[in-house]
Amino acid sequence: MRNTKTLRDMRKWRKQKRLKIRDYSYQVPQCENKQIEYLRSNRTETTVTWIGHSSFLVQMAGMNLLFDPVWAERMGLEKRLTEPGLRVSDLPRIDGVALSHSHYDHMDLSALKRSLRMNHQLQMFVPEGLGGKLLSSGFHRVTELGWWGKLRLPGLELHFVPAQHWTRRTLFDINRSHWGGWVLQPSRDGHGKAVYFAGDTGYFPGFKLIGERFDIGMALLPIGAYDPEWFMHMQHMNPEEAVQAFLDCGADQFIPMHYGAYKLSNDTPLEALNRLKAEWKRRGLKPEKLCLLKLGETVKEPIFAGHRVHH
């Protein structure tokens, strides 16, 4: 996808943003029983822990992987709405970091460097074209992947899959690197289902292709930063589209993300959640398949029937 929005479009969006009255009084709650010691000692079970926004700790086959780890207190001029669910000091020893793309709300260099100080053998898994940026920032073990590329890690496979988005970090590097999602699955001789982290994406036919290739247990899908939809729809899904993406990829459980931490567009966290739950009910989907995590909450695979987190 190429970003085809003009300066005029940007001005129109910013004007609408100023005029819309938004209520940010609702905050995604923190988990009261964070399993920090368990996460540090776990070597066998598959777990997913939501840190906030699109940041997750995923444990599989004894490995600890971070996806799009961001601890930034501000995004642009706006202060973070909620504290991260885990601090960097809470984390177990991180074996690798997978980045979906280079936008600031998905690639936090300061947090990545803190992780590197904790493990000098830290592996970085990034889209094609982004490796040079990481190498120049002091990372030494950097692997680039293109769409449908995969690599083998001890006991598991990591696949880079398509998304509909774009990327830019400076004035001069628009779409100079790629973007996408990640599928983490046990090795073929292992047991368990895949975890699908969609990254940042608009709704597109690729969700069906991903579902055809992988047996997905938990799908981590974005639901925020969609308003105004005339401006955002090619790069961010609205909650209704996210439900369709979940159905397309055939996952067992839907864990929503990309909401609640930063003011990135005109929608609010509560609006996104309400639309998501309304669409879920309208389609008659099983309540236990929708897993609304609190910040810092850990779920294990398989998520037992009946597990549903209410905010």
Side-chain angles (χ1 to χ4, degrees), residues 146-218:
W147 284 352
W148 305 120
K150 74 173 182 179
L151 54 88
R152 294 185 183 275
L153 301 173
L156 54 86
E157 296 177 353
L158 185 63
H159 300 254
F160 189 55
V161 296
Q164 180 173 284
H165 202 60
W166 66 292
T167 193
R168 177 181 183 178
R169 198 166 177 91
T170 71
L171 292 174
F172 309 104
D173 66 351
I174 184 168
N175 292 344
R176 294 289 181 87
S177 60
H178 220 156
W179 52 87
W182 296 94
V183 174
L184 187 63
Q185 69 174 13
S187 298
R188 296 191 183 279
D189 57 350
H191 301 283
K193 294 193 172 187
V195 174
Y196 170 36
F197 171 79
D200 211 352
T201 181
Y203 177 76
F204 76 127
F207 293 115
K208 290 184 178 179
L209 297 177
I210 293 166
E212 291 170 357
R213 294 193 180 209
F214 302 100
D215 186 10
I216 300 170
M218 291 180 270

Side-chain angles (χ1 to χ4, degrees), residues 95-145:
D95 299 298
V97 175
L99 299 179
S100 63
H101 64 301
S102 69
H103 281 154
Y104 283 90
D105 60 315
H106 294 261
M107 178 175 156
D108 181 353
L109 277 177
S110 63
L112 295 175
K113 289 177 180 178
R114 276 182 282 169
S115 299
L116 180 62
R117 288 195 294 268
M118 296 169 66
N119 177 12
H120 295 291
Q121 299 301 312
L122 182 70
Q123 301 181 74
M124 300 294 300
F125 309 115
V126 304
E128 284 182 340
L130 192 52
K133 177 67 174 178
L134 275 299
L135 290 169
S136 66
S137 297
F139 297 87
H140 305 292
R141 303 185 68 188
V142 181
T143 302
E144 290 187 350
L145 277 80

Side-chain angles (χ1 to χ4, degrees), residues 254-270:
F254 176 6
I255 297 177
M257 65 170 180
H258 203 265
Y259 75 100
Y262 299 110
K263 300 177 183 178
L264 299 177
S265 63
N266 295 358
D267 52 279
T268 68
L270 186 58

